[in-house]
Amino acid sequence: MDSVWQVSGMQFSLKLNSKEISIRSGIILLLSYILAAATAFVVYYAGGTSKVYTNLMYIPITIAASTNGKRHGIIHATAGGLLLGPFMPLDVEKGIMQAPVNWIIRVVMYVIIAYVIGFFADHYRQELLNVRKRDHEIFEAHMATIYFLVKLAESRDYNTGEHVVRVAELCRLLAGKLRNREKYKNYINDSFIEYIFKAAPLHDIGKVGIPDSILLKPGKLTPEEFEIMKTHTVIGEETLLEVKRRYSG
């Protein structure tokens, strides 16, 4: 799922790559089936289900249920139980087959274990998705605030709007260059660069407090007007610090 904000030509994006998660879960599920088949071979060549090796089947069942939920866990448990079921001898050397009740009970136990593990895995997975959803909503709220403030500054002075775009891009480029230096490589990462890029448009937000007669003056500013213009940095700082004080959590 992508959330994209367009702010004066800049794109702010948050990508929750569920496709990668699905691929990873699918690979783990496939490996668990391979492990289940390997377990069946171990049980057979160890002498049959009379040996303790049937308990090894709990490993792939646990992996499948914990990573893919109770539905896949139950399917996996049933398949694993059948692998050690009617066609798996109780004693290979003596050619003794299992009584049906034995392997049926084993399948039921596998399914119960898979259901319990899968139930809690699904529960915590849903909780994680809820947390990610809330984080995404908070992110969108932050982006909406930045968008509002930047557009507010831009509405006063179009040049300011173009300027914040350039500054944001330059900040991202400079941060990317600094990351390659030994002094900063432990501090600057992709997240740091993205935060810099997102925050940079706010550097001129204090201009909303500058009178139009000065902000939009076509000619050169007088020394007095220039002093007033310079106060936009203080206005911006005080505004952002007040926001930080009120909403620091």
Side-chain angles (χ1 to χ4, degrees):
M1 176 172 53
D2 295 345
S3 175
V4 179
W5 285 96
Q6 187 74 25
V7 182
S8 301
M10 293 181 298
Q11 285 189 339
F12 296 137
S13 63
L14 174 67
K15 297 183 178 179
L16 303 178
N17 200 336
S18 57
K19 184 178 180 181
E20 288 185 4
I21 296 175
S22 298
I23 292 174
R24 192 180 304 118
S25 297
I27 292 173
I28 294 174
L29 186 62
L30 176 61
L31 291 176
S32 66
Y33 275 107
I34 294 173
L35 185 57
T39 300
F41 278 109
V42 169
V43 171
Y44 182 83
Y45 285 106
T49 57
S50 61
K51 309 296 183 181
V52 72
Y53 298 107
T54 55
N55 292 326
L56 291 174
M57 190 61 75
Y58 286 113
I59 296 175
I61 291 172
T62 300
I63 293 172
S66 61
T67 57
N68 287 269
K70 60 178 180 289
R71 184 171 69 88
H72 284 289
I74 290 172
I75 294 172
H76 194 287
T78 304
L82 292 176
L83 282 173
L84 303 182
F87 302 107
M88 180 67 69
L90 178 68
D91 191 309
V92 174
E93 185 177 351
K94 296 180 180 180
I96 302 174
M97 300 303 293
Q98 303 177 74
V101 67
N102 289 345
W103 65 263
I104 290 173
I105 290 175
R106 187 184 302 114
V107 171
V108 171
M109 290 300 299
Y110 286 167
V111 168
I112 291 173
I113 293 297
Y115 179 86
V116 172
I117 294 174
F119 174 83
F120 285 105
D122 287 341
H123 172 74
Y124 287 113
R125 189 177 293 108
Q126 186 59 49
E127 288 297 313
L128 178 60
L129 289 175
N130 291 338
V131 170
R132 287 183 175 179
K133 182 180 178 181
R134 287 194 293 269
D135 288 344
H136 181 62
E137 291 171 350
I138 292 172
F139 175 87
E140 287 191 323
H142 289 170
M143 292 301 98
T145 302
I146 292 176
Y147 177 83
F148 168 76
L149 292 173
V150 172
K151 293 300 290 184
L152 184 63
E154 186 178 319
S155 67
R156 298 288 312 286
D157 177 18
Y158 179 76
N159 290 328
T160 295
E162 292 297 305
H163 170 66
V164 297
V165 173
R166 293 192 296 270
V167 169
E169 292 291 349
L170 285 172
C171 286
R172 181 157 62 179
L173 289 172
L174 287 172
K177 293 292 185 181
L178 288 173
R179 178 170 58 178
N180 297 325
R181 296 195 175 187
E182 187 70 24
K183 183 178 180 180
Y184 302 106
K185 69 177 184 179
N186 293 327
Y187 303 97
I188 300 178
N189 52 30
D190 289 339
S191 296
F192 181 92
I193 294 173
E194 190 68 13
Y195 290 144
I196 288 291
F197 176 67
K198 293 170 185 174
L202 297 175
H203 79 280
D204 263 349
I205 194 62
K207 285 185 177 180
V208 298
I210 303 300
D212 286 348
S213 59
I214 297 175
L215 183 65
L216 305 179
K217 184 177 180 179
K220 184 178 180 180
L221 299 178
T222 65
E224 293 78 12
E225 290 172 335
F226 187 60
E227 289 301 316
I228 295 175
M229 176 63 83
K230 288 194 294 185
T231 62
H232 82 274
T233 58
V234 178
I235 296 172
E237 178 190 25
E238 291 176 348
T239 300
L240 295 176
L241 285 176
E242 180 63 23
V243 172
K244 182 180 179 180
R245 279 193 293 268
R246 286 178 176 269
Y247 305 103
S248 58

